[in-house]
Amino acid sequence: MPVLNRAELSRTGVIFVALLLAICATGAAAREFRAADTQTEDYPTVQALRYMSALIAERTGGRHEIKVFHSRQLGEEKETIEQTRAGAIDLNRTNVALIGNFVPAMNVLAMPFLFRSIEHMQKVLDGPIGNEILGSFEPYGFVGLAFYDSGARSIYNGVRPVKSIADLKGLRIRVQQSELMSQMIRSLGAEPVELPYGQVLTGLATRLIDGAENNWPSFVTTDHYKYAGYYTLTEHTMSPEVLVISLKAWKSLSAEDQQIFREAAARSGQFMREKWRDLEEQSQRKAEAAGVTIVRDIDRKPFEDAMAAIYAKAAQDPAAAALIERIRKVE
């Protein structure tokens, strides 16, 4: 073993301290964060997550990046939310209706007929209300980073065109694994069937279910339109998607890196909106070309009136009632 003299020991100590300071100055060691998304590889939310990863890699000099697991590679949404809460998955893109099982404010955003239009929803989410909601996740094991668009959800089936509430009677309609969504379909006179997203196509093909409810891109990219030829523009919910990071992963980041993640997430949200608009138009055109019957002109008021019991129940929670009122007042 070589023997170091005092000067060499001193120089070695200086180099060691300098390396420690460099590590502290640049945050934690390089890390790859795992992100879950149930959608396909070319879906706007998946593209947005990859865009966010590129921004983070650039801003951190390659120290951090996100590996995106799409197409339910890490499980269905209900499972990945639980894993994210436990810290086994770092980031998760999910619909607000499902994460509402953990974060109460999300149930408000999933309320049927809450938003008057997509523009109204975006104004709410881009403003103080949206920021407050994203800031409410931490007590439940998550940190809210950004909202993604999810368009308007409508009802489709393979039995008959739905032109009124009466036409829904007896139909077995798939809903997300959410009590709120089951209540909504039940209030419309149909029978809700809670199924994971990945099982809907098989359910339609085997007639386990008669129909489902979702936006244009989900209706088409999953091939649901091949088995459900009647699409009614109920546009009953305009609940967004939300991007969260586990509290465990968040606390592993320096304050500087946390800011980088927040800014990259916000930019990915705008990127996603542009991709979403294009896909919505393409999906609707593809459904029309395939011969799907689209019921556009319906009287929405009876559908809205049928939600009275759901809103009465929500009003029992003062916080939920106040949030609903604030959202409705946004012009």
Side-chain angles (χ1 to χ4, degrees):
M1 292 289 290
V3 177
L4 301 180
N5 60 34
R6 185 173 297 176
E8 290 172 325
L9 283 170
S10 178
R11 283 197 299 274
T12 301
V14 169
I15 292 170
F16 180 70
V17 171
L19 286 171
L20 283 178
L21 289 173
I23 291 172
C24 292
T26 56
R31 182 180 167 188
E32 183 178 79
F33 292 79
R34 301 199 315 159
D37 197 312
T38 56
Q39 298 290 0
T40 55
E41 188 172 7
D42 58 351
Y43 204 79
T45 54
V46 176
Q47 292 183 58
L49 286 172
R50 286 180 168 161
Y51 176 73
M52 177 180 171
S53 178
L55 292 175
I56 288 171
E58 180 184 354
R59 289 284 305 278
T60 64
R63 283 186 298 107
H64 298 316
E65 63 178 331
I66 299 170
K67 184 174 182 180
V68 183
F69 292 85
H70 54 82
S71 306
R72 302 185 299 281
Q73 290 173 329
L74 298 182
E76 295 286 355
E77 277 185 293
K78 186 177 181 181
E79 300 162 2
T80 61
I81 291 170
E82 291 169 351
Q83 291 179 64
T84 305
R85 191 185 191 198
I89 292 174
D90 300 307
L91 294 104
N92 199 348
R93 188 287 311 158
T94 179
N95 189 270
V96 298
L98 285 170
I99 204 167
N101 292 325
F102 299 95
V103 185
M106 293 297 95
N107 285 322
V108 171
L109 296 184
M111 291 287 283
F113 302 105
L114 173 64
F115 297 108
R116 297 186 295 274
S117 64
I118 296 296
E119 291 72 26
H120 177 222
M121 179 194 72
Q122 290 176 347
K123 193 165 186 179
V124 169
L125 299 181
D126 292 345
I129 294 176
N131 290 332
E132 288 174 26
I133 293 174
L134 288 176
S136 71
F137 280 73
E138 286 200 31
Y140 310 99
F142 312 95
V143 172
L145 292 178
F147 288 110
Y148 287 169
D149 277 12
S150 188
R153 298 175 75 97
S154 291
I155 294 173
Y156 51 89
N157 80 97
V159 179
R160 56 179 174 265
V162 172
K163 299 179 180 179
S164 67
I165 287 183
D167 295 325
L168 280 168
K169 188 173 180 60
L171 292 182
R172 290 169 55 81
I173 303 296
R174 176 267 175 176
V175 293
Q176 296 158 298
Q177 293 166 292
S178 158
E179 179 56 30
L180 175 61
M181 293 298 100
S182 288
Q183 290 174 13
M184 179 194 72
I185 290 298
R186 203 174 289 116
S187 297
L188 293 174
E191 181 183 347
V193 180
E194 293 190 12
L195 279 180
Y197 186 57
Q199 296 178 19
V200 181
L201 181 61
T202 300
L204 289 168
T206 60
R207 294 303 176 189
L208 171 67
I209 54 175
D210 298 311
E213 50 83 47
N214 219 317
N215 53 53
W216 278 114
S218 294
F219 175 57
V220 172
T221 60
T222 54
D223 286 343
H224 293 180
Y225 73 102
K226 294 180 180 179
Y227 299 93
Y230 303 102
Y231 192 99
T232 300
L233 287 172
T234 52
E235 298 186 331
H236 48 269
T237 62
M238 297 178 185
S239 55
E241 312 285 344
V242 63
L243 175 61
V244 299
I245 184 171
S246 76
L247 192 57
K248 180 180 177 181
W250 184 251
K251 288 183 175 179
S252 75
L253 294 167
S254 67
E256 180 184 357
D257 285 346
Q258 287 177 353
Q259 185 60 29
I260 289 172
F261 268 64
R262 282 198 186 280
E263 291 173 359
R267 287 179 61 183
S268 77
Q270 295 303 315
F271 173 89
M272 187 271 173
R273 277 185 187 173
E274 295 175 11
K275 296 292 182 182
W276 179 260
R277 281 193 292 268
D278 293 340
L279 184 58
E280 255 191 337
E281 293 172 4
Q282 293 169 21
S283 299
Q284 185 168 342
R285 287 198 299 268
K286 187 171 182 177
E288 289 173 334
V292 171
T293 299
I294 303 171
V295 180
R296 301 180 186 276
D297 299 320
I298 63 165
D299 183 2
R300 284 164 55 93
K301 191 172 187 308
F303 287 80
E304 294 179 21
D305 291 345
M307 301 299 113
I310 291 177
Y311 275 91
K313 183 177 179 179
Q316 294 173 10
D317 177 353
L323 182 55
I324 290 169
E325 185 65 19
R326 287 179 64 198
I327 289 172
R328 284 178 163 168
K329 286 182 176 178
V330 173
E331 295 296 335

